[in-house]
Amino acid sequence: MASSVRLANDLTLAQNPDGGWGYLPGKHSRVEPTAWIILGLSVHGDASLKVRDRGLDWLTKMQQADGSFRSAPDTGNSLWMTAPALLALQGSGRTQDASAATAAFHSVLKQKAQTPRLKMTGMRSDVEAWGWTTDAFSWIEPTCLSLMALHSYPREKLQSTSELDLRIKEGEIIVRARRCNDGGWNYGNFGNRDYALGAFPVPTALALIALQRDTGDPQIKQGWERLEQMRKTEPSMLSLGWGTIAAKALKRPSDPWENQLLAHIDKRVGATNLDRGLALLALNDQLPVFTFAPRL
């Protein structure tokens, strides 16, 4: 596909001398855009693997002693970056990164954010999900990305899956509890009894990917319908990228999403490196790190 080739070429040219990518060409390398670009290049083809491997070499240098990742060398605590990094490591499947992936997995497994209980909203305080940083409350994006990262790690490598199953269960509880009245999700605050906040496209797509095992759940159906509405009214390259991935993970029609995404790519206006990396990934038919086995 010509658009995929162009995206890969653009990202190759935008790679920093240190091997990573910034949010914009020429800016300092950051873990988030680098992780999605690595995944996009991993599924693009052999021609991109050298570029991808330079990105992986930079990414693994961002790992800390406890297995977590900070967003860049000059930043403080940013534990939520560990989930995108783990997805990139798992998606690339490079043998020499196996120990880094294992350490990242155990870091994600241990990261916990307390959820406050507010009577007027019904938020849960008896389960723990994931936040942006240490000691922060749980939010939809880091929770959904952490669920995806945990699902991506091979269960056969674990002596016991009890802790993994518990964290996944609690994360799913939080995602469901934070759903907005309109059927979708925002970043985690749906309002209270006096006012309601609406959904946004990206967190709705992330929530649907994270909850995909329950294919027959009415919440999935309602969330997908809301996401489809937002595709027509609130499109952006980032939301179309995540929406395309959600469509493929949920086995919903992805052509409308891909066509609209391709139109944005053709405009070549305002796209960040993160947008391009995610778009390159979304345009591929095989997305194993975002596809989980149905719940038995």
Side-chain angles (χ1 to χ4, degrees):
M1 186 181 293
S3 294
S4 293
V5 172
R6 191 166 69 215
L7 283 170
N9 289 339
D10 288 347
L11 291 168
T12 296
L13 293 173
Q15 188 173 34
N16 288 331
D18 62 12
W21 284 267
Y23 285 101
L24 295 170
K27 299 300 183 181
H28 293 301
S29 297
R30 295 288 185 265
V31 165
E32 186 181 18
T34 299
W36 302 135
I37 291 167
I38 286 170
L39 274 171
L41 293 174
S42 293
V43 300
H44 178 64
D46 293 343
S48 299
L49 295 187
K50 280 189 176 181
V51 179
R52 180 208 68 177
D53 285 351
R54 288 188 61 227
L56 281 165
D57 292 342
W58 179 85
L59 182 71
T60 53
K61 292 175 183 176
M62 297 303 104
Q63 190 167 34
Q64 302 183 97
D66 63 357
S68 67
F69 282 74
R70 58 176 61 191
S71 62
D74 56 349
T75 60
N77 185 301
S78 51
L79 289 183
W80 78 282
M81 286 289 105
T82 311
L86 176 54
L87 286 165
L89 294 171
Q90 288 297 119
S92 64
R94 212 171 59 157
T95 305
Q96 61 261 46
D97 299 324
S99 60
T102 297
F105 167 79
H106 287 289
S107 175
V108 174
L109 195 64
K110 298 296 183 185
Q111 292 170 18
K112 294 182 180 180
Q114 189 70 30
T115 300
R117 182 168 186 83
L118 304 175
K119 291 184 179 180
M120 65 178 63
T121 64
M123 289 185 182
R124 300 284 296 266
S125 62
D126 57 331
V127 293
E128 295 170 310
W130 289 266
W132 304 104
T133 63
T134 304
D135 300 324
F137 292 129
S138 58
W139 293 92
I140 289 297
E141 184 170 358
T143 294
C144 291
L145 291 174
S146 296
L147 288 172
M148 296 176 206
L150 293 181
H151 277 295
S152 77
Y153 193 78
R155 286 174 169 262
E156 58 268 22
K157 290 188 175 183
L158 302 174
Q159 292 184 343
S160 170
T161 62
S162 58
E163 185 179 7
L164 172 62
D165 291 336
L166 177 61
R167 294 306 317 276
I168 289 174
K169 178 182 177 181
E170 293 193 336
E172 291 175 342
I173 288 172
I174 290 297
V175 175
R176 292 181 182 283
R178 299 287 185 86
R179 194 166 69 111
C180 301
N181 291 341
D182 62 11
W185 283 262
N186 58 30
Y187 287 93
N189 182 6
F190 52 78
N192 59 32
R193 64 188 178 190
D194 298 319
Y195 69 94
L197 298 177
F200 300 142
V202 170
T204 298
L206 292 172
L208 290 172
I209 297 168
L211 298 176
Q212 67 182 266
R213 293 194 301 165
D214 296 317
T215 54
D217 192 320
Q219 283 196 359
I220 301 296
K221 180 177 183 294
Q222 293 163 7
W224 176 254
E225 290 172 351
R226 183 70 185 99
L227 186 60
E228 277 281 24
Q229 291 171 357
M230 290 187 283
R231 174 178 65 81
K232 300 170 184 176
T233 60
E234 303 173 54
S236 69
M237 196 164 168
L238 186 64
S239 64
L240 291 169
W242 278 118
T244 302
I245 293 171
K248 293 178 178 180
L250 272 62
K251 296 181 170 56
R252 304 292 175 120
S254 61
D255 285 351
W257 288 91
E258 285 196 358
N259 291 337
Q260 203 165 342
L261 178 59
L262 289 168
H264 271 253
I265 293 169
D266 289 340
K267 292 177 184 176
R268 301 174 71 90
V269 176
T272 67
N273 287 335
L274 187 154
D275 295 333
R276 292 188 179 95
L278 196 68
L280 181 61
L281 175 64
L283 292 172
N284 193 271
D285 290 332
Q286 301 299 319
L287 300 171
V289 296
F290 296 112
T291 307
F292 322 145
R295 195 187 303 277
L296 299 177

